[in-house]
Amino acid sequence: MKTLALALATTTLASAPAFAGVYVNAEANDGYTGSDYSGRTVDLHVGYSGTASKFDYYIQGGPAFTAVADVDGTETELSGKLGGTYNVSQNLGIYGEFSGISNGDEDNNYGTKLGAKYSF
């Protein structure tokens, strides 16, 4: 379960909404090792996004429902993300994200993302 939660938390492909203010984000993440299905996490987050000068940011969190392949039932955890993009120019942005999810009585799982996007 711990490995699944970490894999799902670090492979999330969602990005911050394009508008400022409060939003709701529902997201399902499936995990695979090769072609073997390992499980799913469904996040139901409430968040806030905004802009400050050249920086776009967001923060969101809420329940995460996890289900592991070949295991009956689901577990409810807490998950969240915060991140942003620094707009170096109109065409270049540098972005980062920190995400986390609780893991029952075990250690929480965390993930980071850092990248750059150049638009032509």
Side-chain angles (χ1 to χ4, degrees), residues 81-93:
K81 304 175 192 178
L82 67 97
T85 300
Y86 179 74
N87 299 298
V88 177
S89 68
Q90 185 176 3
N91 299 82
L92 177 62

Side-chain angles (χ1 to χ4, degrees), residues 12-105:
T12 301
L13 299 177
S15 61
F19 61 90
V22 177
Y23 62 90
V24 175
N25 182 36
E27 177 178 287
N29 295 285
D30 292 319
Y32 294 87
T33 300
S35 61
D36 295 331
Y37 176 73
S38 55
R40 170 177 293 144
T41 298
V42 176
D43 296 325
L44 298 176
H45 289 173
V46 173
Y48 181 82
S49 66
T51 299
S53 186
K54 290 185 164 193
F55 186 68
D56 300 323
Y57 61 89
Y58 60 96
I59 184 168
Q60 64 183 54
F65 306 99
T66 60
V68 178
D70 302 323
V71 176
D72 290 336
T74 61
E75 293 185 27
T76 302
E77 304 292 348
L78 294 175
S79 66
K81 304 175 192 178
L82 67 97
T85 300
Y86 179 74
N87 299 298
V88 177
S89 68
Q90 185 176 3
N91 299 82
L92 177 62
I94 298 172
Y95 63 88
E97 180 180 272
F98 176 81
S99 61
I101 184 170
S102 63
N103 194 17
D105 293 333

